[in-house]
Amino acid sequence: MNFRLLTFGDLRLVDGTGSTVPFPEKGLLSACFLLTGSSPQKSRTELAEFLWGDIPLDKALANLRQTLSRVKNRQDELGIELLLIEQAIVSVNIGAFSSDLALLDATSQTTPHAALGELLQLGRWDFLARTEVIGGQARMWLHTQRDRVRTQILATLRDAVAAMSEDADTTVVREAALRLFEAYPEDEAVYQILGQTYAGEPQLESARNVFEHRRKYRWGELPVDPDPQTLGVARRLFERQRGIAPQARQEARPRVEVAPPALRGPPRLTLLPPVNLARNHQTAIFLSSALLEDITVSLCVLKTVTMVAHHTAEKIALDLDRSATLERHDINYVLDTRLSFDGNAYWLFAQLIYAGNDEVIWAERFSMEARDLPRQHREITQRIVSAVANSIERNEFTRDYFERNPEAYHHYLLGQRHLKHLGLPDIRRARKEFQTALKENPYFSPALSGIARTYHLEWLVTAQGDARLLKRAEEVAGKAIATGQDIVGGYHQFGVAKLYQGAFDESIEAFKLAETISPHYADVIADYADTLMHASKPQESLEKVERAIKLNPLSPDLYFWTAASANYSLERYEDATAYIERMADPSQAARLAAASAAMSGNMRKAKTLVRKVKETYPDFDIDTWLSIVPLREQWQKDLYREGLQRAGF
C-alpha cells in the first residue's frame, strides 16, 4: 500500500485511496523534523529535546520511549516503517512513503508558471497549520520551516509574474496569489504582490478590495502596521480609485427604508483615565489620559473586541454610579487606572476588570516617565490583548515608530492634550507640540496627522474660508499616509480636508479606507458620516453616525450635530430637534435647530432661536452661509434654505 505524509493544513498520513490512516502525531511530527533537517537521523536525546524541550531531559527521554513504542506497534500493524528506531538513534525511512514536501523541491526543475500550477495541487499552503509544538527549539523550527515555505512559494510567484507576457493567462497567478494571501494574511511581502497582481486587472474594485481584505484578519492573529512598500501599493490603488468617474447624482430627495438594527458584536472594552490626583498633578493626569486615548485608538483595529471611544471613557471615569453606566452601555471590560506620585516619579496603576462580576483579570504598575511612555504603550496593549482576546495569538503587538524616539511620542501626547479644547490658541499650541515631535523624528506619522487636523480645525474656528489651510491639511495628511505608519490618521485627515474642499468622492474613498483599517474608531466613523451627509447621502450618514454613537455613547456634540443634520435632510425634523437637545452646548447648532423647529411647525421656538443666533452673529446671511457649507446636491441646499427662511432669517 502506498502511503503519503501530508504536512500542509492538518498533519496526517493517508493511504493510496486518500483516506487518513491513524498514526501517533508525535511520530508524524518526528518524521517532518527529520525530513527537513540536514540529516535524516537524530539521536534519541536530540529528538526528545525537540519534542519536549520544556521539561527535564530524563522525563523527555521517558516520554520518547513511550511514543516510539506506540509508533513501532502501529508500524507493525500497517506493515511499514516510516521511522527506523534503533537503540541510540531514530531515522526517517525516506523510501517507505512519499511527502508533499517533495513537491516544493521539484518546482525548481520547471518554469515558474508551471511550478505554480504544481504548487496549487498542495491544497492549503499553511505548513502544519494546527500542529502543537512544545519548547523553544520546536517553535523555532516550525517558524523557520513556515518561513522557508512562504519564501519559496513567494519567489516562485514573483518569477511567474515577471515572466508573464501581456496576453498570457493570469488565472494561475491570481489563484496562487490569493492562496498565498489566505495562508499568510499578516505577511507584508505577500500583501504587496497580491495588490500588484490585482492592480493590473481591469476590475479596479477588486484591486481596492485587496486592501480592505488585508485588514480582515483571521481570529487568533494581531494586526501590524504595513511597511512603506506595502503602503505604496495601497496608495496607488487609492489614487486609481480616485480617478473613477463619480456616480450619477440623485435629483430627487431620498426615500430610503431604515436599516434593521445591527446584530450584537464582540465584547466592549473601555480604558478609563485616572481622576484621582490633586490639582497640582494635572499635567500627569492629562499625559496619562492622552496615553490611554492613543492606546484606545490603536486597539480599534482589533476585530475581537469593540473599543469604547475615549470621550465616553472620560465621562464614565467621573461617573459616581459607574456600574450602572457600564451596564447601560453594555461594556464588558474596563481598564481602571489611578495615578500615584512617590516623590520622584509618577506611576500609573492599572487593573483590567470584567464588568460582569468585578473580577480583576490582571493588575500592574507602569512608569509615566517620558522615556518609558512608548514601552508602556506596548506593554499595556499587549496585556489587554492577551487577557481580553485570549483566543488571539500572543505574538508581539508593537508599533516600532513609537520607540524610535520617546521624546517625539511625549510631545505628540502633549499636542493631543491641547486639542481637547478647540480655541484657536489651543489649536496652535497643539500644532507647535506636533512640530516639536517631528524635529525629534521627521517620519512620526501620528504627529503629521495631528498637524493636518490643526489646519482643518483652524479653518473651522476662524470661519474665514481660507483655502490655504485646507490645502495644508491635505498636504500634511498625504505625508502621514506616505510614511506608512499611522495610515488611519492620515486617511482620516485627508478625508476631512477633501470634504471641506468639496471633493466628496475623494473624501468618501479616504474614509472607506480609514474605516476598513480601524472599524471601531468612533471619531473616524462620525467624520465619515459627516462626509456622507454633505455628499447628499443622509440615510447612509445617519446609519454611520448612529454606529459611532454606539461606540461612543457619551458622545461629543459633533456626533449629535451630524445626526441632526442627517435627520433634517431626511425631513425628520422632530428627530433632528431631539438630537440637538442631546448636545452639551446646543447653541452650536442653533441655526439648524431653528430651521428644524420651523419645518415642524413650532414657530415660537424657531423665532426664539433666531433671536439668539442674531445676538451672536448679527450679520448672518443665508446665501453667504450656504456658499460656505459644502453640500453636493441642490435639493439639500434648497431644503436648508427653506427652513432658515421659514424660521425668520
Side-chain angles (χ1 to χ4, degrees):
M1 183 179 292
N2 296 323
F3 291 94
R4 183 172 175 80
L5 179 66
L6 301 181
T7 63
F8 290 89
D10 294 322
L11 174 62
R12 63 200 187 280
L13 186 69
V14 299
D15 59 22
T17 66
S19 300
T20 299
V21 177
F23 200 92
E25 185 180 44
K26 284 288 194 291
L28 297 180
L29 183 58
S30 298
C32 285
F33 178 51
L34 295 169
L35 281 172
T36 57
S38 57
S39 170
Q41 65 179 30
K42 296 288 183 183
S43 69
R44 287 194 175 220
T45 298
E46 290 177 300
L47 191 56
E49 289 177 338
F50 169 76
L51 294 173
W52 292 280
D54 289 342
I55 66 174
L57 181 58
D58 58 338
K59 293 183 179 180
L61 287 170
N63 289 344
L64 179 63
R65 285 194 296 273
Q66 295 176 8
T67 296
L68 293 180
S69 177
R70 291 195 298 272
V71 168
K72 186 176 185 305
N73 291 337
R74 184 55 178 153
Q75 289 185 160
D76 290 343
E77 293 172 1
L78 295 173
I80 63 168
E81 278 190 305
L82 272 68
L83 297 178
L84 301 174
I85 303 170
E86 302 178 34
Q87 185 172 356
I89 64 172
V90 178
S91 307
V92 61
N93 187 6
I94 298 175
F97 64 99
S98 61
S99 169
D100 54 6
L101 288 170
L103 191 58
L104 290 174
D105 300 327
T107 57
S108 61
Q109 309 298 320
T110 183
T111 64
H113 196 273
L116 279 183
E118 294 177 7
L119 288 172
L120 289 173
Q121 299 175 23
L122 284 173
R124 295 173 59 177
W125 283 351
D126 44 358
F127 181 70
L128 300 185
R130 283 179 287 274
T131 300
E132 295 289 339
V133 296
I134 303 172
Q137 180 186 349
R139 286 193 292 269
M140 181 63 70
W141 169 82
L142 185 57
H143 174 78
T144 301
Q145 296 308 312
R146 286 174 174 168
D147 189 61
R148 180 179 70 88
V149 170
R150 178 199 60 82
T151 300
Q152 184 170 343
I153 296 175
L154 183 59
T156 304
L157 180 56
R158 281 177 168 156
D159 290 343
V161 171
M164 195 165 51
S165 61
E166 291 186 3
D167 57 348
D169 184 6
T170 62
T171 303
V172 171
V173 172
R174 291 170 60 199
E175 184 177 350
L178 286 172
R179 179 83 60 82
L180 193 61
F181 173 68
E182 289 170 358
Y184 303 97
E186 77 288 351
D187 190 283
E188 299 300 337
V190 173
Y191 169 55
Q192 290 167 23
I193 196 166
L194 179 64
Q196 291 164 359
T197 301
Y198 272 81
E201 294 295 311
Q203 297 88 354
L204 186 57
E205 186 64 19
S206 296
R208 192 177 64 79
N209 286 339
V210 168
F211 181 81
E212 293 183 358
H213 292 158
R214 167 66 181 87
R215 294 291 160 180
K216 295 179 180 177
Y217 287 88
R218 296 175 298 180
W219 187 279
E221 292 175 319
L222 288 177
V224 294
D225 292 312
D227 62 16
Q229 281 184 301
T230 298
L231 190 64
V233 176
R235 190 168 60 252
R236 287 194 295 274
L237 299 181
F238 177 62
E239 292 297 329
R240 292 186 63 189
Q241 185 72 10
R242 287 166 58 190
I244 294 180
Q247 299 293 319
R249 299 179 180 180
Q250 58 191 60
E251 297 300 334
R253 297 176 184 176
R255 304 286 185 181
V256 184
E257 295 296 327
V258 178
L263 297 176
R264 184 179 180 87
R268 290 159 66 83
L269 166 66
T270 183
L271 277 56
L272 304 184
V275 293
N276 57 300
L277 284 184
R279 184 174 300 276
N280 59 329
H281 299 289
Q282 285 300 304
T283 299
I285 290 179
F286 280 127
L287 198 60
S288 57
S289 180
L291 174 67
L292 291 172
E293 180 177 13
D294 198 53
I295 293 173
T296 298
V297 171
S298 72
L299 289 175
C300 284
V301 299
L302 292 179
K303 308 300 188 292
T304 48
V305 293
T306 298
M307 297 305 301
V308 175
H310 189 73
H311 181 87
T312 287
E314 288 182 317
K315 293 190 175 183
I316 294 175
L318 296 168
D319 199 322
L320 297 178
D321 192 3
R322 184 182 297 178
S323 297
T325 302
L326 296 175
E327 182 178 357
R328 185 166 64 252
H329 296 300
D330 295 321
I331 296 172
N332 310 97
Y333 294 91
V334 178
L335 185 76
D336 199 10
T337 61
R338 294 197 309 274
L339 267 175
S340 63
F341 183 65
D342 62 8
N344 297 310
Y346 288 98
W347 297 87
L348 181 71
F349 175 78
Q351 56 181 1
L352 188 65
I353 301 169
Y354 177 60
N357 58 8
D358 289 332
E359 174 191 356
V360 177
I361 299 173
W362 62 263
E364 187 57 77
R365 190 175 73 154
F366 302 94
S367 167
M368 288 302 294
E369 293 295 303
R371 66 177 181 275
D372 295 326
L373 288 175
R375 180 165 53 83
Q376 306 304 20
H377 179 289
R378 182 184 62 199
E379 177 66 16
I380 294 172
T381 303
Q382 284 181 321
R383 296 296 299 275
I384 290 172
V385 170
S386 63
V388 179
N390 56 9
S391 64
I392 294 178
E393 189 175 320
R394 300 189 182 198
N395 58 329
E396 184 179 13
F397 183 91
T398 181
R399 299 171 76 178
D400 290 337
Y401 59 95
F402 282 153
E403 300 183 344
R404 291 175 185 169
N405 194 314
E407 285 299 316
Y409 187 47
H410 183 224
H411 287 289
Y412 163 71
L413 293 181
L414 292 175
Q416 292 289 81
R417 167 192 167 186
H418 289 304
L419 286 183
K420 296 296 181 186
H421 310 285
L422 296 183
L424 189 58
D426 291 293
I427 292 171
R428 289 176 174 170
R429 288 190 193 103
R431 185 182 303 151
K432 184 177 180 180
E433 292 291 351
F434 294 142
Q435 289 169 339
T436 302
L438 291 178
K439 290 178 182 177
E440 298 288 343
N441 182 355
Y443 303 103
F444 192 61
S445 274
L448 287 166
S449 299
I451 290 174
R453 186 180 176 200
T454 65
Y455 282 124
H456 103 252
L457 287 176
E458 182 171 340
W459 181 87
L460 283 174
V461 169
T462 56
Q464 294 176 355
D466 188 348
R468 293 174 298 176
L469 291 172
L470 294 179
K471 194 62 180 175
R472 286 293 295 145
E474 177 188 347
E475 291 170 355
V476 180
K479 290 180 180 179
I481 295 172
T483 60
Q485 297 166 349
D486 185 31
I487 54 178
V488 64
Y491 282 125
H492 181 187
Q493 298 307 322
F494 185 90
V496 171
K498 282 298 183 182
L499 165 64
Y500 290 113
Q501 292 179 74
F504 302 107
D505 292 326
E506 294 181 50
S507 179
I508 288 173
E509 285 305 317
F511 276 112
K512 279 183 182 179
L513 290 173
E515 187 185 28
T516 297
I517 296 164
S518 283
H520 307 308
Y521 192 169
D523 288 349
V524 166
I525 297 169
D527 282 343
Y528 189 178
D530 191 41
T531 289
L532 290 169
M533 196 282 299
H534 287 282
S536 302
K537 297 182 178 182
Q539 182 60 49
E540 294 179 40
S541 169
L542 185 60
E543 292 166 5
K544 288 285 184 190
V545 76
E546 286 176 345
R547 180 164 174 261
I549 291 171
K550 287 180 181 178
L551 292 172
N552 196 1
L554 304 179
S555 306
D557 283 352
L558 181 60
Y559 290 26
F560 299 130
W561 195 347
T562 300
S565 298
N567 273 295
Y568 183 91
S569 294
L570 291 168
E571 301 181 50
R572 301 170 186 169
Y573 306 116
E574 292 182 359
D575 290 340
T577 299
Y579 271 112
I580 293 171
E581 290 173 350
R582 292 174 66 179
M583 295 172 64
D585 182 11
S587 65
Q588 297 179 77
R591 288 176 289 255
L592 180 62
S596 299
M599 295 296 277
S600 63
N602 190 345
M603 296 307 301
R604 176 178 294 180
K605 182 177 181 179
K607 298 297 183 185
T608 300
L609 289 166
V610 168
R611 284 196 299 272
K612 289 183 177 180
V613 171
K614 288 186 174 180
E615 288 174 3
T616 307
Y617 304 101
D619 298 326
F620 176 75
D621 177 73
I622 293 177
D623 290 331
T624 302
W625 173 247
L626 289 178
S627 68
I628 295 174
V629 177
L631 293 171
R632 165 175 269 176
E633 300 292 348
Q634 187 60 44
W635 67 262
Q636 202 172 12
K637 290 186 178 183
D638 292 343
L639 185 63
Y640 198 8
R641 177 181 284 104
E642 181 182 351
L644 293 171
Q645 288 174 338
R646 283 193 189 184
F649 285 108

